[in-house]
Amino acid sequence: MKQIAVLVKPASSLCNIKCKYCFYADVSSHREVKSYDNMTSSTSEKMIENIFVDLDDGDTLNLAFQGGEPTLAGLNYFREIVSLVQQQTKKVTVNYSIQTNGTIINRKWCEFFKEHDFLVGLSIDGHPLYHDLNRVDTKGRGTFHKVMRTKKMFDEYKIPYNILCVLTNPLAKEAKKVYQFLQKHQIEYVQFIPCLDEFGADKRSSYALTPERYAQFYRQLYTMWLTELKQGTYRSVKLFDDLLNLLVAKRATACGILGKCQIQYVIEADGSVYPCDFYVLDEYRLGYIQEQSLRELFEQPVAYQFVCEKPELTQMCQTCPFINVCQGGCKRMKEAMYVNKKGDFCGNQQVLKMFLPNIEEMVDLVNAHVTFS
């Protein structure tokens, strides 16, 4: 039985807000075509058909939607996708998820998400001040209160959701405030996404995360997380879950955590397919889902090149005691959380040093709430 994950961008790079640090706005600006607009019905139909070509009875398909802002494709688009999936004759388990900025969600969206068991990633930047500083609408106004209204609806409809927080360099100084925010609003699942600098930037931006701040943030967060865990409250922090899965269950649950790229099957609105969300660029296009199955796309030379190309490890990496765990990490994240430009500090190394000494105690405590297997 196979598990296949596909990430679809139904509204391409279109978005109704203008986050100052948006990585996909940067990625798409390096393409010949910045936005492919909304996915057409004919592309949707061929996409689902060709995804199912490589699936068998008993397989699992994880179908995720992201952007830009994917809800701009419209609720009818998602209804059509679900209908197309239901028309397939193979007995495949399909799990739906979507990442949204939450600003245009209403009760009709909530009813749809609930009916079809969508897992939602809701973007909130951990503190009202920092959220409204960067996550602004087209008129420059903060969006925090709109998003919190959506969170309240998700709670009302009992829609499962994770909070996705972009960890900027300024926000990384505020771990205590961020954790208090999670506690106050009863947020049980959170993923911190390191804020990246632009491709080929000559000068580091003020919001791009550094390895030093990355380590500082997680050291402070870990202390509060562990204290709460000892008191009987399990709050899922994606990085800590991933490390426990890796170090205890020997299972990689995050792309790049072992320094090895995998093909993620990112499908843009025009049907073009790419190996990674960070590299939705013309030179990495594998082909088109309307014309080939996922297996055929995986066999393209571009896919082999992407998987096999490995950046040279720094001297610090080569002598690191955690080299077998990390292998230099994700190549796109390297300047945000791994070895700094001076080559004398690694954020991930510091996090592992902090995490490992208490791992047996953590496993016992966490297993009281969730089993890692």
Side-chain angles (χ1 to χ4, degrees):
M1 297 182 183
K2 302 186 295 296
Q3 280 207 30
I4 292 179
V6 176
L7 178 63
V8 182
K9 293 181 176 288
S12 192
S13 63
L14 298 176
C15 193
N16 62 320
I17 67 174
K18 301 294 181 184
C19 299
K20 296 176 182 177
Y21 49 59
C22 180
F23 91 92
Y24 202 64
D26 174 49
V27 169
S28 61
S29 71
H30 288 79
R31 300 192 306 231
E32 185 175 339
V33 178
K34 181 173 182 177
S35 175
Y36 299 105
D37 297 321
N38 288 333
M39 183 176 286
T40 65
S41 293
S42 59
T43 299
S44 299
E45 185 175 352
K46 288 299 295 183
M47 176 180 73
I48 296 302
E49 179 183 325
N50 278 345
I51 288 173
F52 270 78
V53 165
D54 296 321
L55 295 171
D56 300 303
D57 289 348
D59 287 347
T60 298
L61 170 64
N62 296 314
L63 196 55
F65 300 90
Q66 200 182 66
E69 173 50 40
T71 59
L72 292 180
L75 186 51
N76 284 339
Y77 166 84
F78 290 93
R79 287 173 173 150
E80 180 182 25
I81 290 292
V82 170
S83 176
L84 289 168
V85 168
Q86 292 173 341
Q87 292 170 30
Q88 305 304 309
T89 57
K90 295 177 182 177
K91 297 177 181 179
V92 172
T93 298
V94 180
N95 301 315
Y96 297 104
S97 63
I98 186 171
Q99 182 175 341
T100 176
N101 61 39
T103 58
I104 61 175
I105 299 295
N106 56 25
R107 292 188 177 276
K108 287 186 178 180
W109 280 101
C110 289
E111 290 165 1
F112 174 81
F113 290 155
K114 184 66 176 178
E115 180 183 358
H116 299 288
D117 298 318
F118 267 68
L119 171 64
V120 182
L122 181 63
S123 295
I124 304 177
D125 275 0
H127 189 276
L129 175 65
Y130 289 93
H131 182 103
D132 280 347
L133 182 66
N134 292 309
R135 301 189 69 83
V136 297
D137 64 19
T138 54
K139 295 182 179 179
R141 300 171 300 193
T143 59
F144 178 78
H145 290 294
K146 285 185 177 181
V147 180
M148 291 303 289
R149 186 170 64 239
T150 294
K151 177 193 176 299
K152 185 177 180 181
M153 280 195 290
F154 287 166
D155 288 331
E156 179 184 340
Y157 280 84
K158 294 182 171 53
I159 294 168
Y161 64 90
N162 299 335
I163 296 303
L164 292 103
C165 173
V166 177
L167 188 59
T168 61
N169 219 39
L171 184 61
K173 295 189 295 183
E174 306 290 354
K176 184 176 180 179
K177 289 182 179 179
V178 170
Y179 206 81
Q180 288 172 340
F181 175 83
L182 301 178
Q183 292 172 318
K184 177 182 177 180
H185 295 283
Q186 299 178 315
I187 293 169
E188 298 180 4
Y189 299 90
V190 63
Q191 178 179 355
F192 296 101
I193 304 170
C195 186
L196 302 178
D197 224 333
E198 295 180 351
F199 269 115
D202 295 325
K203 183 179 179 182
R204 180 177 285 275
S205 70
S206 61
Y207 50 77
L209 188 64
T210 64
E212 291 86 353
R213 287 277 178 85
Y214 170 84
Q216 174 188 342
F217 176 81
Y218 274 108
R219 277 197 297 263
Q220 295 175 0
L221 196 81
Y222 175 74
T223 300
M224 293 177 284
W225 177 82
L226 188 58
T227 298
E228 199 174 33
L229 185 60
K230 289 178 179 178
Q231 294 170 348
T233 298
Y234 169 71
R235 198 173 307 278
S236 172
V237 175
K238 181 70 163 60
L239 176 65
F240 298 158
D241 291 351
D242 289 336
L243 288 175
L244 284 168
N245 272 305
L246 180 65
L247 299 170
V248 177
K250 312 301 180 187
R251 185 160 55 96
T253 53
C255 182
I257 197 169
L258 290 173
K260 298 177 181 177
C261 288
Q262 300 174 346
I263 301 298
Q264 294 181 340
Y265 299 119
V266 180
I267 303 178
E268 253 287 3
D270 68 333
S272 54
V273 184
Y274 306 82
C276 173
D277 198 22
F278 292 138
Y279 294 91
V280 185
L281 301 165
D282 295 337
E283 58 266 37
Y284 287 99
R285 186 185 297 118
L286 305 179
Y288 291 86
I289 193 64
Q290 306 96 305
E291 302 169 0
Q292 296 172 292
S293 70
L294 294 178
R295 179 173 296 171
E296 291 170 332
L297 290 163
F298 179 79
E299 293 172 349
Q300 299 304 307
V302 177
Y304 286 107
Q305 177 188 344
F306 179 80
V307 170
C308 294
E309 63 183 12
K310 300 184 186 302
E312 186 176 346
L313 294 180
T314 66
Q315 182 61 34
M316 189 174 189
C317 286
Q318 294 176 35
T319 58
C320 177
F322 307 114
I323 182 64
N324 291 330
V325 176
C326 174
Q327 291 291 335
C330 169
K331 59 188 176 185
R332 185 66 179 96
M333 293 277 193
K334 61 182 180 180
E335 292 183 359
M337 55 185 283
Y338 298 103
V339 180
N340 64 4
K341 287 194 173 182
K342 290 183 179 179
D344 60 2
F345 184 91
C346 175
N348 199 48
Q349 183 187 82
Q350 295 302 310
V351 170
L352 287 167
K353 281 182 179 179
M354 167 197 76
F355 202 78
L356 283 171
N358 301 316
I359 194 163
E360 290 185 4
E361 179 186 16
M362 281 188 292
V363 170
D364 290 339
L365 291 167
V366 171
N367 276 336
H369 305 275
V370 60
T371 301
F372 291 86
S373 60

